[in-house]
């Protein structure tokens, strides 16, 4: 699963640490999500969507497969 978290952070001009504090996780968790090493829980995805004021589908998306 891919995501636009890094792009959305840049739009809001916030760091990984800032975002982590807003949603109650570590900076390392944000880094892992951005690099697609960790798929967030539904609750975490909802918190991210609230911070970015976007739907979950606008932040996370599946990679195209043949």
């Amino acid at each position: 699963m891919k995501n636009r978290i890094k792009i959305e952070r840049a739009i809001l001009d916030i760091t990984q640490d800032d975002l982590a504090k807003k949603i109650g996780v570590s900076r390392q968790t944000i880094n892992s999500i951005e690099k697609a090493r960790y798929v967030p829980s539904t609750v975490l995805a909802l918190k991210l969507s609230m911070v970015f004021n976007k739907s979950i589908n606008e932040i996370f998306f599946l990679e195209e497969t043949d």
Side-chain angles (χ1 to χ4, degrees):
M1 179 169 25
K2 293 192 172 209
N3 66 74
R4 295 178 36 92
I5 294 174
K6 187 172 185 176
I7 295 165
E8 297 298 332
R9 280 194 309 101
I11 291 168
L12 294 180
D13 194 29
I14 60 174
T15 65
Q16 286 181 343
D17 193 52
D18 294 334
L19 179 57
K21 288 176 182 171
K22 286 180 182 285
I23 62 172
V25 298
S26 69
R27 184 201 58 77
Q28 291 85 355
T29 298
I30 299 300
N31 184 270
S32 292
I33 295 170
E34 284 185 3
K35 294 184 183 290
R37 289 184 295 208
Y38 174 72
V39 176
S41 67
T42 304
V43 172
L44 195 52
L46 286 167
K47 288 180 179 182
L48 288 165
S49 74
M50 289 172 52
V51 169
F52 298 133
N53 198 30
K54 305 259 178 158
S55 72
I56 292 173
N57 288 340
E58 291 176 289
I59 300 169
F60 297 96
F61 48 95
L62 296 174
E63 297 181 61
E64 296 288 327
T65 58
D66 294 332

